[in-house]
Amino acid sequence: MRQPLLRLGALLGVVTVASAPLGEPASALPNYAQRSGRTCANCHVSPTYQDEEGWENPDLAHRKCNLSCLSCHVDPTGGGLRNASGRYYGQSVLPMLPSQERGYGDMHREVFSQRAVHAFRSRFDRGRVGEGKTIPSDWDEVQDGVGQGQRGRFTAFGTPLGGDSRMSYWDGRYDDLNADPLVQIGGDFRLAYWSGSNAVFPMQADLDVAIQPVDHFTAMVTLAGRGKNTGFVPPTQQARGPVFPRRAFVMAHELPYASWVKAGIFLPSYGLYLDDHTAFTREWIEQDTSDSLDTVLGVEIGTAPNYPYATLSVFQNDASFGLDDDPGWGVAATAGVRELGWNVGGNVMVKQRGKQARGDLIAAGVTWGYNPVYYNDAVPLTILGELSATHRSTQSGNQTAIASTTEAWWLVKNGVNLRGRVDLGVRNLGSAPFESRVSVGGEVVPVPGATLTLMTRLTVRAGEEGASPGVLGMFHVWF
């Protein structure tokens, strides 16, 4: 059975990598957001490309620059479909071979020659619409039509009724991308191999659709495949079906001070949004993006004017409608500051569901980050961390867990990162052993739309002899 699975996994890997250049990528990792503090022009054309004076610096109420998730994602709390700056970041900053203009802060970290980079970019250069100046420097030029009419890629098309607004993304600032589309589609597909089970399995399979009939109002849906770690399972053998709605909400967004309100199905904002849902700080605190039971049905409000941020959500637990006998209610809140060189924040979440269900839960924690590369370009290091504690009450008793994650990334070259992470925690104080997991490896982003990650892991549990080594490999393809 293992050999067919491995062959199927290899085939899917080849197919996804081969199709990657068609994508419009970015990624849902807080590391990318924090690391962006080292330079402007990470997620848009350089402000001096056509204007030696640069761009107008708007007042705080109308400023879009920040280091929060909403800088790159349609969902302001992160993950999934990318907005204009997120698509540009994924095509310009992340890969070895960019399909957009590289930011000036990365020009000296090329893997390939400038000639090779230019040749690759030329394949995707559709040229600018119109003649003369095509990059708007301020809102007045947008109203005059500067930069309007970019066609973008096939995944973003149309224009909302009523035209542009001051807080919307503007055509021209993102090269040939449609910055403010009527309809946008996207996807994330992550194929993984874990040596512990010697299996290839679909870690993630998401399809996203967003419709923006008028500026500042969007309806978004993410249809997600259920995460697996035991190989491919036929849909007919899955008790709850192969897919579920990870997101299904309507939202008023791009409001003054980078604020938003959304209502529907979502994952409550809490802690670091990591690409590995098995991290202790994700799995133990009901932040697993592959589990429909962790999604909720509710209302969320938030704001992120550079650089403070805050979110508050009130919800019904379990958005899977009927699988939980007593879904109950919940509330989650985050607040903090994400500066160019550092960040610090706090998180709290309460879920009241009745002890006969998944139990009542209270969680609280802190997150932090440090970005040495902002202070010294010769040290391209970014460090992130989280410490959280949760208490759960069920019919079988009480359970208190403590989990921490510390992750470091070293930007070797454009498209080449070294990664290390240490997970520490106790699943249940007093009755479960202390666990530690050290992961070391790296990732390669050869072209826009494809990421290859390979991590070695060593897990140690107190009271057990020896350690459990393992290797985790991932193909991530997105558009």
Side-chain angles (χ1 to χ4, degrees):
M1 182 65 179
R2 290 177 178 173
Q3 291 302 319
L5 286 176
L6 290 173
R7 286 197 294 269
L8 180 56
L11 175 60
L12 287 177
V14 171
V15 171
T16 53
V17 171
S19 63
L22 299 177
E24 292 186 345
S27 194
L29 301 182
N31 173 277
Y32 293 149
Q34 182 63 59
R35 196 172 69 189
S36 294
R38 72 193 189 281
T39 175
C40 191
N42 289 289
C43 48
H44 50 65
V45 175
S46 172
T48 58
Y49 189 79
Q50 286 187 329
D51 186 346
E52 294 181 357
E53 301 298 323
W55 292 347
E56 171 193 40
N57 189 19
D59 60 85
L60 183 61
H62 297 110
R63 197 175 303 167
K64 293 184 279 291
C65 295
N66 57 56
L67 297 176
S68 293
C69 303
L70 61 83
S71 290
C72 286
H73 295 275
V74 175
D75 184 350
T77 52
L81 195 62
R82 289 88 184 167
N83 57 29
S85 58
R87 285 178 277 144
Y88 188 91
Y89 181 86
Q91 295 177 23
S92 170
V93 178
L94 295 186
M96 294 179 181
L97 293 169
S99 58
Q100 301 285 5
E101 175 190 356
R102 183 84 81 186
Y104 54 82
D106 283 329
M107 298 298 291
H108 62 292
R109 292 196 176 95
E110 296 289 3
V111 174
F112 300 104
S113 67
Q114 289 291 340
R115 182 176 180 179
V117 172
H118 178 74
F120 185 83
R121 277 195 58 207
S122 298
R123 293 184 55 193
F124 299 89
D125 189 2
R126 303 184 180 194
R128 297 188 176 278
V129 174
E131 298 179 356
K133 188 174 183 182
T134 59
I135 303 176
S137 297
D138 53 39
W139 173 234
D140 290 337
E141 292 187 350
V142 173
Q143 292 178 299
D144 291 338
V146 175
Q148 292 182 9
Q150 303 293 357
R151 294 181 296 275
R153 305 291 195 264
F154 70 96
T155 57
F157 52 90
T159 303
L161 296 175
D164 292 302
S165 71
R166 187 177 180 88
M167 280 295 291
S168 66
Y169 293 99
W170 304 338
D171 281 351
R173 286 202 171 181
Y174 308 91
D175 199 62
D176 63 345
L177 299 180
N178 183 335
D180 197 30
L182 170 67
V183 178
Q184 189 175 337
I185 60 175
D188 284 86
F189 304 94
R190 201 183 303 267
L191 190 70
Y193 167 77
W194 170 238
S195 63
S197 58
N198 195 27
V200 177
F201 56 94
M203 179 177 283
Q204 181 182 14
D206 293 355
L207 287 174
D208 307 290
V209 178
I211 300 175
Q212 185 182 204
V214 295
D215 266 334
H216 311 308
F217 183 85
T218 292
M220 180 179 176
V221 174
T222 298
L223 192 63
R226 298 188 189 279
K228 302 289 184 299
N229 57 10
T230 56
F232 289 88
V233 179
T236 55
Q237 299 179 18
Q238 299 181 26
R240 290 184 290 158
V243 298
F244 69 96
R246 176 176 294 153
R247 299 179 188 85
F249 57 74
V250 293
M251 174 176 63
H253 59 112
E254 295 172 359
L255 305 177
Y257 298 100
S259 303
W260 73 91
V261 180
K262 71 183 182 186
I265 296 173
F266 53 86
L267 186 72
S269 179
Y270 184 99
L272 295 178
Y273 201 116
L274 302 176
D275 58 345
D276 180 4
H277 60 247
T278 67
F280 301 160
T281 52
R282 303 300 291 177
E283 183 180 7
W284 298 357
I285 310 178
E286 300 186 7
Q287 290 291 296
D288 186 346
T289 57
S290 66
D291 191 343
S292 62
L293 296 180
D294 289 354
T295 60
V296 300
L297 176 66
V299 176
E300 175 187 276
I301 60 174
T303 185
N306 73 325
Y307 292 107
Y309 69 92
T311 66
L312 174 66
S313 58
V314 180
F315 48 82
Q316 171 189 293
N317 297 295
D318 182 17
S320 56
F321 302 105
L323 293 181
D324 197 326
D325 295 333
D326 185 9
W329 60 273
V331 60
T334 69
V337 178
R338 296 187 178 103
E339 284 284 350
L340 297 176
W342 56 271
N343 72 77
V344 62
N347 311 273
V348 64
M349 183 166 59
V350 176
K351 293 184 176 182
Q352 296 291 318
R353 293 172 290 202
K355 295 184 178 181
Q356 73 275 20
R358 302 179 74 191
D360 296 339
L361 180 144
I362 300 176
V366 294
T367 59
W368 65 90
Y370 181 53
N371 196 30
V373 69
Y374 170 70
Y375 304 101
N376 186 343
D377 192 63
V379 187
L381 176 68
T382 301
I383 304 172
L384 297 169
E386 177 182 350
L387 173 64
S388 287
T390 180
H391 180 78
R392 191 189 305 271
S393 300
T394 66
Q395 284 183 325
S396 59
N398 297 328
Q399 177 179 323
T400 299
I402 298 177
S404 74
T405 290
T406 304
E407 186 169 80
W409 289 50
W410 185 276
L411 176 60
V412 180
K413 295 285 186 178
N414 293 324
V416 181
N417 293 287
L418 297 180
R419 299 176 56 174
R421 195 175 82 225
V422 177
D423 295 308
L424 304 173
V426 180
R427 294 174 185 264
N428 190 7
L429 286 174
S431 63
F434 176 80
E435 299 182 51
S436 62
R437 178 195 293 164
V438 178
S439 304
V440 178
E443 73 169 24
V444 175
V445 187
V447 293
T451 301
L452 312 176
T453 304
L454 184 65
M455 304 288 289
T456 59
R457 284 182 171 180
L458 190 66
T459 302
V460 178
R461 294 180 176 85
E464 297 183 6
E465 294 186 4
S468 300
V471 176
L472 175 67
M474 290 186 292
F475 282 108
H476 183 201
V477 177
W478 66 96
F479 62 90

